[in-house]
Amino acid sequence: MTPTPAVGKDTMLQKPQPLTTTTVTVAYAGGDERRGPVTMGQANMIRCILRDDPTHINIHDVWPVPEGTTSAAVTDALRALAVRHEGLRTTFPHPPGAAPVGQVVAAEGTFTVTVLDHAELPGEPAGYAESVARAARAGRFALEREFPVRITLLTVAGQPAYVALAFSHAVADGSAMAILREEFAELLAGKELPGLTSLPPVDLAAVEASPAGLRKSEASLRYWERILRTGPQEMFAEPRGRRPGTDEEARQLTLRSRRGGRALAGAARRTGHPEATVLMAAWCALVAHRAGQDSCVTAVPSANRFHARVARSVTTTSQDALLHLDVRVPAFDALVSRTWGAVLNAYRHSQFDSVRLWEMIDRVTAERGSHFGRDVVFNDVSALPAPLLGTDAEDRDDAEQELSWGPPQALPTRLLAFTYRTAPQLHISLWAAPSVFAPEEAEGFLSGLVLLLEAAAAEDVPMEALAEVTGVRPAERGPDWLRVDGCWVSPDAVRETLGRAVGGLPVWVQVTEASGTEPHLTAYIACGETPLTPTEAHRALTATIPAAGSGVLAPHRYVIVENPPAEPDRSDAWRRLNTIDEGTGRSRQV
């Protein structure tokens, strides 16, 4: 029997009121002033910073302060980190309305620390500190002038307890925060920090701009384009789903499972593959199974720190590795073997010019008549020591299996997972879009992942048995849904969306299925007195797709006629009409 996890367990907290709030200005000096172009990772995140809600793109962390530490020692350690790491002394000057292309490293400057003093902290002080750090994410960082870290020191009767921080994603990512947390703890312990071994951002930008760096970027763009032209454009294409361009608010669901840790270790031993590979294979198998897809496309943001020159660099390397894993294999062991090579290939192609990437994405998706969605994100940071990830205070290593719900946050994806630990327990936090996963389905997904690992630890698992083994059911689609160009499509949704896009003109979508080939869609549009070309119809539809419902892909061909037939729900009636114009509408034939 499988123990039923605690459902609905909630970690929402009440905030206490501080007795006093003071602001301390801390001066630093001793670094070098430098200038240079932005790195590819910085350019990628700056694009998001200028476009997205700050609460979505800013990041946060909480650093516990050892008992007996003075406030002066805390500020001294923070000052030392600012001097040590150029990224923390970096601003990005740029004219209004333009994105920064360069960065400036200051030799000296100041930052502020907001001190919140309390009579006492609540029963879950780490959770309270987390809420303070999360609240500091609100408000866009002024890239051209603001110190890129907002720092709050939580004290009890003047005694430091936690430092709550919000970072600009232009200067730090999750790995960078972990490095800073580690060094902060060592400074407070009186240890001397070793010399820096990874490149600071200005030097990293120079490497990326070298001939070898540019060749690597070009190869990455070609890799991404292959996936965008052939892979599913949305993983969770189903009647209740929303398009990837629409954000939802999702609550954090956290799994802590000794069962999962034992099962992952056992499956790794049995298959002879690393735990990280087995976990990725299990994740992709279950995502593709739940989505009813032949492959899993998942972003892997933590993949691009495998090289020594960036492994411990305090900057942002936030560029996705994009994994496209075909799950059409007989059993799980074969998928694990396939995953190893696919992951390495994705990692090798995770450095690119983000501006050119998005230009390519816009071009390819317009030509394909789709909207590529970053539907699934899997961030495995378990290779970093748990104390550096802020999870040590929350972990309960005795949890045989526990699910708990945490605070909500806006989710620009459909499924986001962070793996914090794999031993002695499997510790994963999941954010699942409510339009696709009801709460019990999200819990069932994480529980099903553990069940799959347990089964894989015992024997090779047939892929056709995933529903039976995990309890996770594939997406339900109506009989009108079909697979077109590698994507699940609803012809009715295409017809309705195209009709709205062309101003309410009558539309009919015909499905043509030839033996041995995928179905093709042909859209008939009765334009009446309205001038319309296939190119104009295609552009109108692709502009509408990001906000449309799920399952919309542009037809392969548009046929413009004058008036609708007397029987507008019959394809043969539309085919008998005189054609005014016809074509793909695309800028290139596909």
Side-chain angles (χ1 to χ4, degrees):
M1 290 289 292
T2 301
T4 301
V7 177
K9 181 172 180 178
D10 206 307
T11 57
M12 305 291 279
L13 299 164
Q14 293 281 36
K15 293 184 181 179
Q17 292 299 315
L19 297 175
T20 61
T21 301
T22 56
T23 301
V24 177
T25 299
V26 181
Y28 64 85
D32 295 325
E33 181 176 342
R34 306 182 69 199
R35 294 174 180 268
V38 296
T39 68
M40 292 178 180
Q42 287 172 331
N44 186 43
M45 296 319 303
I46 287 170
R47 178 183 180 276
C48 300
I49 289 167
L50 296 176
R51 179 195 64 193
D52 296 346
D53 186 317
T55 59
H56 301 187
I57 193 63
N58 294 337
I59 55 178
H60 72 280
D61 200 7
V62 174
W63 300 348
V65 179
E67 188 175 350
T69 305
T70 65
S71 295
V74 170
T75 55
D76 285 345
L78 293 169
R79 180 189 293 110
L81 292 176
V83 174
R84 175 176 169 86
H85 295 291
E86 291 184 5
L88 300 183
R89 296 183 274 115
T90 296
T91 53
F92 304 90
H94 60 101
V101 295
Q103 57 184 313
V104 175
V105 182
E108 59 186 25
T110 62
F111 60 86
T112 59
V113 178
T114 302
V115 182
L116 304 183
D117 192 39
H118 306 74
E120 60 179 7
L121 294 180
E124 294 188 41
Y128 166 59
E130 164 86 8
S131 70
V132 172
R134 184 181 292 276
R137 289 167 60 159
R140 204 177 306 276
F141 277 91
L143 294 170
E144 71 281 2
R145 57 178 171 79
E146 186 177 354
F147 188 76
V149 190
R150 296 168 183 157
I151 306 169
T152 305
L153 176 60
L154 306 181
T155 62
V156 180
Q159 173 66 45
Y162 294 93
V163 182
L165 310 100
F167 289 80
S168 166
H169 218 329
V171 304
D173 54 18
S175 296
M177 290 193 302
I179 293 163
L180 291 169
R181 166 193 278 265
E182 174 190 19
E183 293 184 348
F184 176 74
E186 290 180 348
L187 287 168
L188 292 185
K191 297 180 181 179
E192 183 176 345
L193 299 181
L196 297 174
T197 57
S198 293
L199 296 177
V202 172
D203 294 334
L204 179 58
V207 170
E208 292 174 343
S210 69
L214 294 176
R215 286 194 299 271
K216 186 177 180 67
S217 177
E218 290 295 328
S220 296
L221 293 175
R222 290 192 297 270
Y223 169 87
W224 275 69
E225 184 166 351
R226 284 195 299 273
I227 296 174
L228 265 61
R229 287 196 180 278
T230 59
Q233 291 295 279
E234 51 174 333
M235 282 302 297
F236 298 105
E238 53 190 271
R240 61 177 173 170
R242 299 187 193 178
R243 287 299 308 190
T246 56
D247 290 356
E248 297 182 62
E249 191 171 79
R251 290 189 64 186
Q252 178 179 357
L253 175 62
T254 297
L255 166 77
R256 294 183 179 87
S257 173
R258 278 186 168 269
R259 284 176 46 199
R262 291 193 300 269
L264 178 57
R269 283 193 302 271
R270 193 187 64 76
T271 61
H273 285 275
E275 289 187 3
T277 303
V278 174
L279 183 58
M280 180 68 78
W283 167 263
C284 289
L286 201 56
V287 168
H289 166 72
R290 166 61 183 78
Q293 300 280 13
D294 290 338
S295 63
C296 176
V297 177
T298 184
V300 191
S302 60
N304 41 17
R305 280 186 178 263
F306 60 92
H307 196 286
R309 66 172 173 246
V310 293
R312 291 187 63 83
S313 182
V314 173
T315 185
T316 183
T317 62
S318 291
Q319 294 186 278
D320 287 343
L322 190 66
L323 175 64
H324 183 204
L325 184 62
D326 190 333
V327 300
R328 290 174 293 182
V329 292
F332 184 71
D333 287 7
L335 184 65
V336 175
S337 298
R338 177 177 291 182
T339 301
W340 173 254
V343 167
L344 289 180
N345 202 26
Y347 285 6
R348 282 196 296 265
H349 297 100
S350 61
Q351 177 186 309
F352 44 78
D353 182 328
S354 60
V355 173
R356 289 190 58 204
L357 175 74
W358 282 103
E359 289 173 349
M360 182 268 288
I361 290 175
D362 290 343
R363 183 182 71 255
V364 170
T365 54
E367 291 169 357
R368 195 177 181 190
S370 60
H371 180 81
F372 173 71
R374 190 173 179 263
D375 264 7
V376 183
V377 181
F378 185 77
N379 210 345
D380 185 349
V381 293
S382 61
L384 292 170
L388 311 187
L389 299 169
T391 62
D392 53 324
E394 302 174 314
D395 274 350
R396 291 177 286 279
D397 283 347
D398 60 346
E400 186 65 9
Q401 182 136 319
E402 175 184 89
L403 287 170
S404 58
W405 288 95
Q409 71 177 51
L411 189 69
T413 68
R414 302 282 77 87
L415 198 65
L416 166 66
F418 273 79
T419 299
Y420 296 113
R421 300 180 70 180
T422 56
Q425 61 178 198
L426 185 61
H427 180 177
I428 299 176
S429 284
L430 182 78
W431 291 262
S435 66
V436 180
F437 289 84
E440 60 273 16
E441 290 176 302
E443 293 176 342
F445 186 88
L446 282 181
S447 299
L449 185 66
V450 173
L451 291 171
L452 175 56
L453 292 172
E454 287 181 327
E459 61 185 353
D460 195 5
V461 179
M463 296 295 284
E464 63 183 15
L466 286 181
E468 178 184 354
V469 168
T470 68
V472 175
R473 304 296 170 187
E476 294 183 2
R477 301 181 178 93
D480 65 310
W481 284 69
L482 43 85
R483 204 184 295 270
V484 177
D485 192 19
C487 305
W488 280 107
V489 176
S490 165
D492 284 345
V494 175
R495 176 178 53 79
E496 293 169 5
T497 304
L498 178 57
R500 291 194 302 270
V502 295
L505 295 175
V507 171
W508 177 256
V509 174
Q510 177 189 356
V511 179
T512 304
E513 299 188 61
S515 176
T517 63
E518 280 195 336
H520 274 225
L521 302 181
T522 300
Y524 292 84
I525 306 174
C527 67
E529 301 298 321
T530 304
L532 185 69
T533 67
T535 299
E536 291 167 341
H538 183 73
R539 287 176 180 169
L541 176 61
T542 54
T544 306
I545 283 178
S550 186
V552 178
L553 192 74
H556 297 85
R557 199 157 192 82
Y558 300 85
V559 178
I560 312 298
V561 299
E562 184 175 1
N563 296 309
E567 298 177 281
D569 57 349
R570 294 184 57 180
S571 291
D572 58 346
W574 285 88
R575 287 198 302 269
R576 287 195 295 266
L577 298 175
N578 291 328
T579 299
I580 298 174
D581 197 0
E582 63 177 312
T584 67
R586 291 156 169 79
S587 56
R588 76 180 229 181
Q589 300 296 309
V590 292

